[in-house]
Amino acid sequence: MACAPRTSVVRSLKVNDTGYASTVFIGDLIDFSPVTNVFAVQREIPVFYGDEGHLSAYPIYSSPLPRARLEPAVQMDVTNTSPVICAGNVRVIAISAASMVQFGSVRSIRSEARVKNIRQLLRGLPPK
């Protein structure tokens, strides 16, 4: 880890909802790599077929993701004045797909969420 491990203390934590591939983590973490693929179809008339949702039919799920440019390494010295990370009362409404709430240090995060939304409206009617 880049920083010396510290103790994480959270007085209280209330999370209403976590999405797919999401997490709540208290403490130090080396790597976090959540991945989620979402396929959502909204229909004006709710009809469901059993053979829908083949992700291979949509390039969004297989095309390579752009990568961030890696800047030259930065040398730094960190001095933590306290060996404890303290959080009081924390309330989280929602943690979305492939994301996290963390109290502590993390070395590396590689997060990926791919979402395909399809809306099927009746022909002849203007969208609402």
Tab-separated table of all heavy atoms in Angstrom, residues 1-3 10 13 37 55 60-61 68 73 92 104-105 107 111 119 126-127:
chain	number	residue	atom	x	y	z
A	1	MET	N	0.831	-1.183	0.000
A	1	MET	CA	0.000	0.000	0.000
A	1	MET	C	0.873	1.242	0.000
A	1	MET	O	1.959	1.238	0.542
A	1	MET	CB	-0.875	0.044	1.239
A	1	MET	CG	-1.871	-1.041	1.376
A	1	MET	SD	-3.277	-0.412	2.246
A	1	MET	CE	-4.476	-0.738	1.015
A	2	ALA	N	0.317	2.287	-0.578
A	2	ALA	CA	1.045	3.549	-0.630
A	2	ALA	C	1.138	4.176	0.756
A	2	ALA	O	2.131	4.774	1.096
A	2	ALA	CB	0.361	4.504	-1.598
A	3	CYS	N	0.117	4.040	1.548
A	3	CYS	CA	0.094	4.613	2.887
A	3	CYS	C	0.155	3.502	3.912
A	3	CYS	O	-0.254	2.375	3.652
A	3	CYS	CB	-1.195	5.412	3.100
A	3	CYS	SG	-1.402	6.770	1.948
A	10	VAL	N	-15.952	3.730	12.534
A	10	VAL	CA	-17.181	4.377	12.074
A	10	VAL	C	-18.200	4.244	13.203
A	10	VAL	O	-18.507	3.137	13.636
A	10	VAL	CB	-17.710	3.711	10.779
A	10	VAL	CG1	-18.998	4.375	10.329
A	10	VAL	CG2	-16.653	3.775	9.685
A	13	LEU	N	-23.312	3.618	10.525
A	13	LEU	CA	-23.430	3.658	9.076
A	13	LEU	C	-24.777	3.071	8.698
A	13	LEU	O	-25.125	1.969	9.120
A	13	LEU	CB	-22.305	2.853	8.423
A	13	LEU	CG	-22.378	2.657	6.910
A	13	LEU	CD1	-22.276	3.976	6.179
A	13	LEU	CD2	-21.275	1.708	6.461
A	37	ASN	N	-22.851	-5.492	-15.797
A	37	ASN	CA	-23.498	-5.267	-17.089
A	37	ASN	C	-25.002	-5.229	-16.851
A	37	ASN	O	-25.556	-6.139	-16.253
A	37	ASN	CB	-23.166	-6.382	-18.078
A	37	ASN	CG	-21.709	-6.363	-18.475
A	37	ASN	OD1	-21.150	-5.314	-18.740
A	37	ASN	ND2	-21.074	-7.517	-18.508
A	55	LEU	N	-26.564	-10.404	-24.287
A	55	LEU	CA	-25.667	-9.258	-24.280
A	55	LEU	C	-24.721	-9.256	-25.467
A	55	LEU	O	-24.280	-8.194	-25.911
A	55	LEU	CB	-24.874	-9.226	-22.978
A	55	LEU	CG	-25.704	-9.159	-21.686
A	55	LEU	CD1	-24.790	-9.016	-20.482
A	55	LEU	CD2	-26.721	-8.046	-21.717
A	60	ILE	N	-21.867	-2.606	-26.955
A	60	ILE	CA	-21.500	-1.872	-25.732
A	60	ILE	C	-20.871	-2.797	-24.687
A	60	ILE	O	-20.038	-2.381	-23.895
A	60	ILE	CB	-22.723	-1.135	-25.133
A	60	ILE	CG1	-22.300	-0.235	-23.971
A	60	ILE	CG2	-23.788	-2.111	-24.681
A	60	ILE	CD1	-23.392	0.624	-23.409
A	61	TYR	N	-21.248	-4.071	-24.708
A	61	TYR	CA	-20.748	-5.001	-23.693
A	61	TYR	C	-19.400	-5.613	-24.044
A	61	TYR	O	-18.744	-6.186	-23.180
A	61	TYR	CB	-21.773	-6.113	-23.445
A	61	TYR	CG	-23.080	-5.575	-22.898
A	61	TYR	CD1	-24.221	-5.541	-23.686
A	61	TYR	CD2	-23.169	-5.076	-21.608
A	61	TYR	CE1	-25.420	-5.033	-23.200
A	61	TYR	CE2	-24.362	-4.572	-21.115
A	61	TYR	CZ	-25.475	-4.558	-21.912
A	61	TYR	OH	-26.651	-4.049	-21.434
A	68	ALA	N	-7.527	5.581	-19.007
A	68	ALA	CA	-6.970	6.877	-18.629
A	68	ALA	C	-5.478	6.895	-18.927
A	68	ALA	O	-4.803	5.866	-18.843
A	68	ALA	CB	-7.212	7.133	-17.141
A	73	ALA	N	4.911	8.759	-12.613
A	73	ALA	CA	4.759	8.507	-11.179
A	73	ALA	C	5.160	9.745	-10.378
A	73	ALA	O	6.117	10.431	-10.717
A	73	ALA	CB	5.608	7.317	-10.760
A	92	VAL	N	-26.037	6.814	3.778
A	92	VAL	CA	-25.899	6.694	2.327
A	92	VAL	C	-27.251	6.285	1.771
A	92	VAL	O	-27.810	5.263	2.183
A	92	VAL	CB	-24.823	5.649	1.944
A	92	VAL	CG1	-24.732	5.509	0.444
A	92	VAL	CG2	-23.480	6.032	2.540
A	104	GLY	N	-11.130	4.045	4.676
A	104	GLY	CA	-9.810	3.427	4.748
A	104	GLY	C	-9.002	3.800	3.522
A	104	GLY	O	-9.379	4.653	2.736
A	105	SER	N	-7.879	3.134	3.339
A	105	SER	CA	-6.996	3.386	2.201
A	105	SER	C	-7.259	2.367	1.104
A	105	SER	O	-7.665	1.241	1.376
A	105	SER	CB	-5.533	3.261	2.640
A	105	SER	OG	-5.238	4.189	3.653
A	107	ARG	N	-5.353	1.095	-2.754
A	107	ARG	CA	-4.242	1.272	-3.679
A	107	ARG	C	-4.722	1.406	-5.109
A	107	ARG	O	-4.233	2.213	-5.873
A	107	ARG	CB	-3.268	0.097	-3.568
A	107	ARG	CG	-2.058	0.237	-4.481
A	107	ARG	CD	-1.132	-0.935	-4.378
A	107	ARG	NE	-1.771	-2.088	-5.019
A	107	ARG	CZ	-1.267	-3.294	-5.047
A	107	ARG	NH1	-0.140	-3.548	-4.445
A	107	ARG	NH2	-1.899	-4.278	-5.652
A	111	SER	N	-13.089	0.212	-11.971
A	111	SER	CA	-14.525	0.000	-11.918
A	111	SER	C	-15.114	0.070	-13.317
A	111	SER	O	-14.708	0.902	-14.120
A	111	SER	CB	-15.142	1.073	-11.020
A	111	SER	OG	-16.514	0.888	-10.915
A	119	ARG	N	-36.133	1.676	-24.799
A	119	ARG	CA	-37.520	2.062	-24.536
A	119	ARG	C	-38.331	1.746	-25.778
A	119	ARG	O	-38.010	2.216	-26.863
A	119	ARG	CB	-37.593	3.543	-24.176
A	119	ARG	CG	-37.018	3.803	-22.811
A	119	ARG	CD	-36.992	5.274	-22.475
A	119	ARG	NE	-36.479	5.483	-21.149
A	119	ARG	CZ	-35.194	5.497	-20.825
A	119	ARG	NH1	-34.285	5.295	-21.742
A	119	ARG	NH2	-34.803	5.701	-19.583
A	126	PRO	N	-47.112	10.066	-29.547
A	126	PRO	CA	-45.918	10.852	-29.229
A	126	PRO	C	-45.356	10.414	-27.874
A	126	PRO	O	-46.122	9.985	-26.999
A	126	PRO	CB	-46.430	12.289	-29.185
A	126	PRO	CG	-47.889	12.172	-28.923
A	126	PRO	CD	-48.325	10.855	-29.508
A	127	PRO	N	-44.028	10.497	-27.684
A	127	PRO	CA	-43.462	10.153	-26.381
A	127	PRO	C	-44.010	11.075	-25.293
A	127	PRO	O	-44.302	12.234	-25.560
A	127	PRO	CB	-41.961	10.372	-26.559
A	127	PRO	CG	-41.736	10.555	-28.021
A	127	PRO	CD	-43.044	10.902	-28.653
